[in-house]
Amino acid sequence: MHEDGNGAGRPVGTGLPGSGVDQGTGRKGDREFLSLERELTVFLRRARANQGEMAREVHPDLESAAYGLLVRLDECGRQRATALAAYIGVGKATMSRQLRALEDLGLVAREPDPADGRAWLVHLTEEGRRRVGRVREARRARYVSQLAHWDQHEVAELARLLHQLNLGMEK
């Protein structure tokens, strides 16, 4: 049984046995993509809930969506707002609003871009770096605990496949 997107359990493999044809669509190969959709739906629902928890751990007033922005700045350092917006997949206005909120919380700061005086670079403040680092370390510890029964090669393969999926979705 697997949990569907609404939290209910349902059996895996609802297609016709051995046919490779899904009962619902009749197309060969659809079963695998329906399974992928179901598992991604569950995974993304849980990830959104976890992201909200992690955002609140960084700061009680932090929006859930801004957590990924802080992680990106933690990993990549100073970035232009336009690059952050493209990476996260939001518009300039949304990015501006999120950055203002993060500045108000003391988690990020802006400085003029030395390569282009009209542009600004955004970076984590020391407080932002400290808070994000603490939450990311706690998250890594949870992954280690939750996946302790997995072989390290399986964890590496999962990371590789997710990376491949993310690259494919950028196109």
Side-chain angles (χ1 to χ4, degrees):
M1 297 286 267
H2 277 280
E3 185 177 317
D4 69 14
N6 296 319
R10 64 185 229 179
V12 176
T14 58
L16 298 173
S19 71
V21 177
D22 183 82
Q23 280 180 318
T25 64
R27 293 189 301 242
K28 192 169 183 76
D30 277 353
R31 181 176 35 178
E32 293 81 4
F33 288 98
L34 290 171
S35 292
L36 175 63
E37 177 189 25
R38 180 178 54 252
E39 297 304 326
L40 282 175
T41 298
V42 172
F43 178 76
L44 292 172
R45 182 178 48 77
R46 289 178 177 158
R48 277 191 296 273
N50 287 336
Q51 185 170 342
E53 290 172 21
M54 289 180 289
R56 285 185 296 281
E57 288 176 30
V58 170
H59 193 285
D61 296 330
L62 185 64
E63 288 183 28
S64 176
Y67 179 77
L69 180 58
L70 294 174
V71 168
R72 179 68 174 180
L73 288 169
D74 188 41
E75 290 178 348
C76 297
R78 290 169 164 71
Q79 301 266 306
R80 284 187 179 186
T82 53
L84 289 168
Y87 177 78
I88 301 290
V90 298
K92 290 179 191 178
T94 299
M95 182 55 57
S96 255
R97 183 184 58 75
Q98 286 183 345
L99 290 175
R100 269 193 308 279
L102 292 171
E103 279 183 299
D104 291 346
L105 295 174
L107 301 173
V108 302
R110 300 181 204 214
E111 64 186 44
D113 184 345
D116 180 353
R118 299 168 296 170
W120 293 86
L121 294 175
V122 181
H123 62 91
L124 289 175
T125 62
E126 284 305 314
E127 179 67 8
R129 187 171 318 288
R130 185 184 66 73
R131 287 177 180 239
V132 170
R134 185 184 73 233
V135 172
R136 292 188 79 193
E137 185 55 41
R139 182 174 63 166
R140 273 189 295 279
R142 277 189 293 228
Y143 287 153
V144 167
S145 172
Q146 290 170 341
L147 300 177
H149 63 285
W150 284 39
D151 181 272
Q152 282 187 304
H153 298 292
E154 291 174 322
V155 176
E157 181 66 2
L158 177 60
R160 186 190 70 75
L161 290 170
L162 287 172
H163 179 72
Q164 186 176 334
L165 177 65
N166 284 328
L167 287 176
M169 291 182 159
E170 285 179 9
K171 298 174 183 175

